Amino acid sequence: TKQIVMPLGPLPRRPMLMQLNTRVLMTELSETLGREATLDDIQDSALDRLAQAGFHIIYLLGVWKTGMFGLHKSRKLLEQDPCIKGFSEEMVGSSPFAITEYTVADELGGDQALERLCARIRSRRMRAVVDFVPNHGEAMPPPPAPPPPPALHTVSLHEAQ
């Protein structure tokens, strides 16, 4: 089948943006579905409601791959932050800003799932945006210093003869 993409036209002077925390949304959908949810599981009816509410832009927060260092730091907050006291470690994810790679996280369905979701958003005359901010990399401790070079044995011209 051939896909026809209609131009969206200019945004209004004051566009309305809805931010969706994809990690939280996937957790909620997973509980409802009884299995791990991906971006493909976002219901068309939910997208329809956003369009009917007058949103022009859907900001998909948290789609990029994150790492273990960010997850460890987030879980450490369980001991320190009274607002999240009582949460289990399984309920805490890495910060969406601790990005290790600008590819869609595998558990969200990968890059193809994002492409399909963006097409569904666009079909409702809305735009999808994701962040691409270079300083949103996962803060990691510095790598260990490289080992010293092996000792070089030098031979003088006199020894070589």
Side-chain angles (χ1 to χ4, degrees), residues 8-15 56-57 127:
L8 292 177
L11 285 169
R13 185 167 176 238
R14 294 186 180 179
H56 303 98
I57 302 168
R127 291 168 170 82

Side-chain angles (χ1 to χ4, degrees), residues 77-141:
L77 289 174
L78 285 172
E79 306 161 8
Q80 302 168 353
D81 189 339
C83 293
I84 57 175
K85 189 173 185 166
F87 281 67
S88 68
E89 282 195 359
E90 293 77 34
M91 296 174 79
V92 178
S94 184
S95 165
F97 303 110
I99 297 165
T100 56
E101 191 175 338
Y102 280 103
T103 59
V104 178
D106 295 334
E107 62 270 20
L108 299 180
D111 291 340
Q112 293 78 24
L114 178 61
E115 288 175 21
R116 289 187 294 270
L117 176 59
C118 288
R120 292 190 298 137
I121 290 170
R122 187 178 177 86
S123 74
R124 289 160 175 81
R125 315 286 300 154
M126 297 183 293
R127 291 168 170 82
V129 296
V130 295
D131 62 350
F132 186 77
V133 182
N135 72 346
H136 282 182
E138 180 176 60
M140 297 183 68

